[in-house]
Amino acid sequence: MLEEANWTVGKVAKRCGVKVSTLHYYEELGLIRSWRNAGNQRRYKAEVLRRISVIKAAQKMGISLDSIKRAFSTLPDNRTPTKNDWQLLASGWQRELNERIRYLEVLRDSLDSCIGCGCLSLTSCPIYNPDDIAGSQGDGAVILTRNAQSES
Amino acid sequence: MLEEANWTVGKVAKRCGVKVSTLHYYEELGLIRSWRNAGNQRRYKAEVLRRISVIKAAQKMGISLDSIKRAFSTLPDNRTPTKNDWQLLASGWQRELNERIRYLEVLRDSLDSCIGCGCLSLTSCPIYNPDDIAGSQGDGAVILTRNAQSES
DNA sequence: CTAAAACCTCAAGTTAGGTTGAGGTAAAGG
DNA sequence: CCTTTACCTCAACCTAACTTGAGGTTTTAG
């Protein structure tokens, strides 16, 4: 630990390409953590860089900060996450990503045939009701499936 | 035209699985149109059902209402859109959808190898900078590419 | 004919994911 | 030492896509 964690909010922001306010916000949400120096300024350990990168990557997959937070909660609390910890987390997202990709593929493939026909408004049209794709409903891994139809 | 357009907002809402307030909202945005009966109540022609279905389908693809509106503006104004009109519109979205799918596939494929390594924060990592995927930047069809990195 | 259900408008509220700004303190460079 | 840059907090604002509610009118069913 020669390289004692010494990242300021400004440096982290610059390195990660986000704004300082975003880091404040993420901290408020509990996505990242910092401690304070004598003058009440935030200090981070290098680990935060990976966290932020992962947040950004997950967002690009369409995962909400809330879900990311839940995923992060599976990371060890007491020690810096290892490569393995991150890969475990990633594997969960990979499944979701696959579902999402399948979903979009069905949408794409139905698009041409369905959009011109009269079936769109029917409950059997794959464009209008592609919810079946991600298996049944209810429990387990419904992070990406969320944006499916929400009958109120 | 035996079946003269006679849809009330409530019927449309029920048929399409959206709320009445959503229809008001879409109308306000210029996504759908209605005329009023003697008592100032909205009446729709059947065409609106397809429009709403298409809106919903497009939203599932990740397309914003604003983009949908722009896409709709390519539909004929003077006559009810034909199957062909709709398919033309759909084909544009299909391209975008393909790009999006490719994007997510790259993300997925990079996920395992990258998330555990140290490269995430570097500008060369495909997870952190997959923007290159959708070709260059600038003009043309950048609807879905919008959620890429936005360096401020 | 009357009561319930459906509609109307308009303003304000909601969630996600941040951003902006004011007013004030800390740290860093010359 | 002093000025500039970086930080701090907290509240308010922003966009998208709707939803809710108040107060009032129209339709429809019996």
Side-chain angles (χ1 to χ4, degrees), chain B residues 45-107:
Chain B
K45 29 183 183 171
E47 186 205 325
V48 81
L49 300 179
R50 177 179 305 276
R51 270 186 184 250
I52 292 162
S53 303
V54 170
I55 291 169
K56 288 301 166 193
Q59 283 188 310
K60 288 179 183 176
M61 299 175 209
I63 296 174
S64 71
L65 293 182
D66 201 68
S67 298
I68 295 169
K69 186 179 176 182
R70 265 180 279 135
F72 277 6
S73 75
T74 69
L75 290 172
D77 212 38
N78 44 332
R79 58 177 168 77
T80 296
T82 65
K83 178 166 177 158
N84 235 353
D85 294 323
W86 287 114
Q87 282 178 334
L88 200 64
L89 189 152
S91 71
W93 283 343
Q94 241 162 354
R95 277 189 301 102
E96 295 187 32
L97 210 39
N98 276 322
E99 281 176 17
R100 182 147 186 82
I101 288 168
R102 283 243 299 130
Y103 178 89
L104 291 180
E105 280 169 351
V106 169
L107 220 46

Side-chain angles (χ1 to χ4, degrees), chain A residues 25-97:
Chain A
Y25 182 60
Y26 286 172
E27 185 170 332
E28 198 184 333
L29 295 187
L31 288 168
I32 58 177
R33 275 191 317 194
S34 65
W35 72 90
R36 304 305 178 99
N37 74 352
N40 193 37
Q41 298 196 347
R42 287 172 180 82
R43 291 300 180 264
Y44 302 89
K45 28 183 184 171
E47 185 205 327
V48 82
L49 300 178
R50 176 179 305 275
R51 270 187 184 250
I52 292 161
S53 303
V54 170
I55 291 169
K56 287 302 166 193
Q59 281 188 311
K60 289 179 183 175
M61 299 176 209
I63 296 174
S64 72
L65 292 183
D66 201 68
S67 298
I68 295 169
K69 186 180 177 181
R70 266 180 279 134
F72 277 6
S73 75
T74 70
L75 291 171
D77 213 37
N78 44 334
R79 58 176 168 78
T80 297
T82 65
K83 178 164 176 159
N84 234 355
D85 294 323
W86 287 114
Q87 282 179 334
L88 199 64
L89 189 153
S91 72
W93 282 343
Q94 240 162 356
R95 277 189 301 102
E96 294 187 34
L97 211 38

Side-chain angles (χ1 to χ4, degrees), chain A residues 2 9 49 57 59 64 66 87 92 101 126-128 139 145 152:
Chain A
L2 280 171
V9 63
L49 300 178
Q59 281 188 311
S64 72
D66 201 68
Q87 282 179 334
I101 289 168
I127 280 205
Y128 202 50
D139 54 307
T145 339
S152 75

Side-chain angles (χ1 to χ4, degrees), chain B residues 6-18 20 23 44 49:
Chain B
N6 201 21
W7 287 84
T8 66
V9 63
K11 279 178 191 162
V12 172
K14 190 158 203 175
R15 172 71 174 263
C16 293
V18 303
V20 169
L23 297 178
Y44 302 89
L49 300 179

